[in-house]
Amino acid sequence: MAIRLGDTAPNFTAETTEGKLDLYDWMGDGWAVLFSHPKDYTPVCTTELGQVAHLKPRFDERNIKVIGLSVDTIEEHHGWARDIEETQGVALNFPLIADTDRAVSFQYDMIHPKADDTLTVRSVFVIDPAKKVRLTLTYPASTGRNFDEILRTIDSLQLTSNHQVATPVNWNHGDDVIIVPSISNEEAKTKFPGGWREEKSYLRYVPDPTS
Ligand code: BEZ
């Protein structure tokens, strides 16, 4: 069964490179990014995991824990981690699930048989502190993901969770945001006392309230 936005992220216990963990306990009251890659010791995956390790401080700043997954074994993960450090210049600094029985892969619908009937595709799930799924992405094996875009999207999710705004195309933290259509101009006067720039009655911009 596919996991949709707003669904509760299924909990699981799994063996990882940092020991056995329970997803919910490991998340605590923060956010998580759960992502799968097809296979250890493959080129695109090597670059992706190195990049996630480089970006770890930027995930930490946002109170987000990152966890990877493939159907490879713990031993394979540890061996491959040495190659990631050697070729990508950074040590693996987040847990990798060894989903050898494919239990989590099936729970999260990460195996798409028409793409590959045994390996996981490149799935991404962003899970909020209430354990709700807030973003899903699916990329094929041949295409490495852009983890800067995932961070950008999380900035939007965290902002719009706390303020009645939405973020426009190509938005980045600090850019103007949009007052959501459900807020009337009367309400907007109270919520946005500095006023707004109105291009259409439904297109009202205000400065990013967090910058
Ligand atoms: C890769 O990471 O390079 C890769 C993995 C599985 C299939 C194709 C490419």
Side-chain angles (χ1 to χ4, degrees):
M1 182 66 176
I3 293 179
R4 295 179 173 175
L5 300 187
D7 286 351
T8 299
N11 196 22
F12 57 78
T13 55
E15 297 292 345
T16 83
T17 47
E18 298 184 6
K20 191 168 184 163
L21 61 74
D22 170 286
L23 177 73
Y24 285 9
D25 289 346
W26 173 79
M27 283 180 65
D29 58 5
W31 293 65
V33 174
L34 167 66
F35 73 101
S36 57
H37 67 272
K39 194 157 180 52
D40 294 0
Y41 296 104
T42 55
V44 176
C45 298
T46 302
T47 62
E48 283 193 327
L49 270 77
Q51 183 61 11
V52 174
H54 279 296
L55 292 174
K56 174 81 166 23
R58 295 179 58 198
F59 285 104
D60 290 344
E61 281 166 9
R62 293 162 173 79
N63 193 26
I64 302 160
K65 289 184 172 174
V66 182
I67 187 164
L69 174 150
S70 75
V71 300
D72 300 281
T73 64
I74 289 286
E75 293 72 28
E76 285 165 327
H77 284 346
H78 283 303
W80 183 43
R82 288 191 287 275
D83 289 1
I84 293 171
E85 183 163 8
E86 182 189 325
T87 62
Q88 308 303 305
V90 61
L92 201 65
N93 50 15
F94 56 90
L96 257 191
I97 296 169
D99 193 34
T100 52
D101 64 1
R102 295 171 170 73
V104 180
S105 304
F106 287 130
Q107 236 180 339
Y108 276 81
D109 195 30
M110 291 167 164
I111 294 179
H112 296 194
K114 288 180 183 155
D116 189 305
D117 56 6
T118 54
L119 303 178
T120 45
V121 293
R122 299 187 195 279
S123 298
V124 181
F125 296 89
V126 175
I127 305 168
D128 74 13
K131 313 296 183 288
K132 298 293 180 201
V133 173
R134 301 293 299 276
L135 175 77
T136 65
L137 289 172
T138 308
Y139 276 51
S142 54
T143 305
R145 288 156 286 195
N146 182 333
F147 285 90
D148 286 319
E149 166 61 4
I150 292 167
L151 280 164
R152 188 195 74 87
T153 309
I154 291 169
D155 282 344
S156 171
L157 290 171
Q158 293 187 334
L159 171 69
T160 59
S161 296
N162 295 319
H163 299 272
Q164 287 175 305
V165 295
T167 59
V169 61
N170 293 349
W171 175 87
N172 279 295
H173 174 70
D175 294 347
D176 286 353
V177 298
I178 289 169
I179 302 173
V180 292
S182 59
I183 302 288
S184 68
N185 280 351
E186 271 316 298
E187 283 176 89
K189 280 181 196 156
T190 318
K191 290 186 189 299
F192 306 99
W196 58 88
R197 175 167 55 88
E198 185 166 309
E199 295 196 358
K200 288 281 177 193
S201 59
Y202 56 83
L203 183 53
R204 299 165 295 174
Y205 290 96
V206 286
D208 180 341
T210 63
S211 67

